[in-house]
Amino acid sequence: MTDRIAIHTDGLTKHYGDVRALVDLDLDVRAGEVFGFLGPNGAGKTTMIRTILDEIRPTSGRASILGMDTRNKSVEIRSHIGYMPGDLAMYPNLTGRDTLTYFANLRGGVDWSYVEKLADRLDADLSKKVGDLSSGNRQKVGLIQAFMNRPDVLIMDEPSSGLDPLIQREFQTMMRDVATEGRTVFLSSHTLSEVQRVADRVGIIRHGRLIALEAVASLRSKAIRRVDLYFDAPVDESVFVGLPGVREVTGTNHHVVLSFDGRMETLLRVATDRYSLVDITTQEADLEEIFLTYYRDEEVSA
Ligand code: ATP
């Protein structure tokens, strides 16, 4: 089950004249995962998506979705995917309901009670003309059309823009639900916090190249944490310098702050052997810090 591959790319490359939008991308997205495709503006995310959807042709390389070649089987592939483009075109004079009916007809019909359920979850008003909706509310209609055929592979290009935080959270739950059902989500995003919350694995793209590919959980465990130690009397903070995992020691007297990426045992032993430890707090470093480290490294080696 976990070995099934939903999206596969092999040396996928796209040049626009001199612009190398996508360079030699080798990627396997597993069935049943939420895969975060993260990169700054202009990194090549949309180019990658439009290439695997056969909207644009690669300069070289190939791709497949659910084992089907994206160029030869593009029509068949369409029936298995849901797609939320970055710029979904809708007729402003149609209501949300009419818009979804239109998309449903293109797909040969969908289970309408499921559409209503999705609309409920996103708190979408389907009775208004989409031209009269705020961008966030229009976005909801777009999301419903992407989810409504219960696709095996859901491909979304920066889908959360304009959604308010509560709806974003519900939307994240919807993506997790898709993965729980063994279906796949490919989520392009430049929002680190979103990817961190929802994705199983994340690929980081920059200047058209994949510069990192990691499980979110292992990124987390790599993360440098901030550890705050509180004592009932002043301590000599230098006793923590050089302990395994301790990278930096600051703070004075009753309160010592460590930058830490190791196991707690030794640290706790030292903290409690000589002193009376009153409280300890640890904060997970945000993935942002790790990503920034990647970006910096990439710049150095480029
Ligand atoms: P964003 O988050 O801003 O949408 P992105 O990661 O999706 O960015 P792409 O839209 O794939 O990035 O763009 C990758 C590079 O290719 C950019 O330098 C962009 O200017 C260039 N590009 C994209 N489409 C074209 C085009 N049709 N003609 C020429 N250059 C293009």
Side-chain angles (χ1 to χ4, degrees), residues 11-25 43-44 46-52 55-62 207-209:
L12 201 63
T13 299
K14 178 68 186 180
H15 297 172
Y16 296 104
D18 289 344
V19 178
R20 295 159 147 238
L22 197 62
V23 184
D24 206 15
L25 179 73
T46 302
T47 300
M48 186 278 189
I49 288 175
R50 297 192 59 209
T51 307
I52 65 171
E55 289 184 357
I56 52 179
R57 288 282 157 98
T59 305
S60 59
R62 53 178 296 281
H207 300 320
R209 293 174 193 272

Side-chain angles (χ1 to χ4, degrees), residues 103-120:
F103 285 119
N105 288 340
L106 287 181
R107 294 196 165 278
V110 299
D111 168 7
W112 200 259
S113 66
Y114 186 57
V115 174
E116 298 285 358
K117 210 178 284 173
L118 292 168
D120 257 11

